């Protein structure tokens, strides 16, 4: 997946891994600048490449018994870099941004699974 940010033309690639079976599903992804990815593909060093993988998994809440209906558990994992955070303090703006990120992600996943607009 490629994302271009307006007139600045910053191109970001999304590396993604996914898996699904009867026991659950997961998707893991990480954003990477296109120039960094190109350098790696040409044999560049991985020493200075920083990845912040994120993702989610959808698992049954208990083993299925014959035709029984069951629920699911959604696990989200984000790794974010916040320059303004310290070891013992996270700024309110960062907490609000994280809350919005989690809420929006859960809403998008729910809508995709339930096929809602």
């Amino acid at each position: 997946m490629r994302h271009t940010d307006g007139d600045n033309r910053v191109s970001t690639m999304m590396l993604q891994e996914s898996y699904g079976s009867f026991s659950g599903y997961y998707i893991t992804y990480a954003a990477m600048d296109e120039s960094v990815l190109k350098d790696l593909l040409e044999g560049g060093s991985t020493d200075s490449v920083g990845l912040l993988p994120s993702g989610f998994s959808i698992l049954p809440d208990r083993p299925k018994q014959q035709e029984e209906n069951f629920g699911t558990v959604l696990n989200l994992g984000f790794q974010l870099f916040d320059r303004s955070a310290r070891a013992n303090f996270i700024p309110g703006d960062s907490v609000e941004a994280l809350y919005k990120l989690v809420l929006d992600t859960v809403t998008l996943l729910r809508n995709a699974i339930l096929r809602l607009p």
Side-chain angles (χ1 to χ4, degrees):
M1 176 186 303
R2 177 178 287 172
H3 170 72
T4 304
D5 186 17
D7 295 332
N8 294 338
R9 297 300 200 201
V10 174
S11 188
T12 303
M13 304 294 287
M14 297 298 284
L15 302 177
Q16 178 180 307
E17 172 70 32
S18 62
Y19 177 77
S21 74
F22 69 91
S23 64
Y25 299 90
Y26 76 80
I27 295 179
T28 305
Y29 55 92
M32 179 179 275
D33 289 340
E34 187 174 15
S35 61
V36 172
L37 183 58
K38 184 178 178 182
D39 185 52
L40 289 175
L41 292 173
E42 293 173 353
S45 173
T46 60
D47 292 343
S48 63
V49 176
L51 288 178
L52 295 174
S54 297
F56 63 91
S57 64
I58 301 172
L59 307 166
D61 66 351
R62 63 179 178 267
K64 187 174 181 178
Q65 304 294 326
Q66 296 176 358
E67 296 299 317
E68 176 187 22
N69 290 330
F70 61 93
T72 58
V73 176
L74 173 65
N75 295 299
L76 294 173
F78 295 102
Q79 289 192 51
L80 305 169
F81 182 74
D82 187 346
R83 292 177 196 263
S84 60
R86 294 184 301 246
N88 59 353
F89 177 76
I90 300 174
D93 291 348
S94 296
V95 173
E96 288 179 29
L98 182 58
Y99 176 78
K100 182 171 176 14
L101 175 65
V102 170
L103 184 63
D104 290 350
T105 301
V106 169
T107 300
L108 288 170
L109 290 170
R110 184 197 62 180
N111 292 349
I113 291 169
L114 299 176
R115 301 196 190 286
L116 297 174

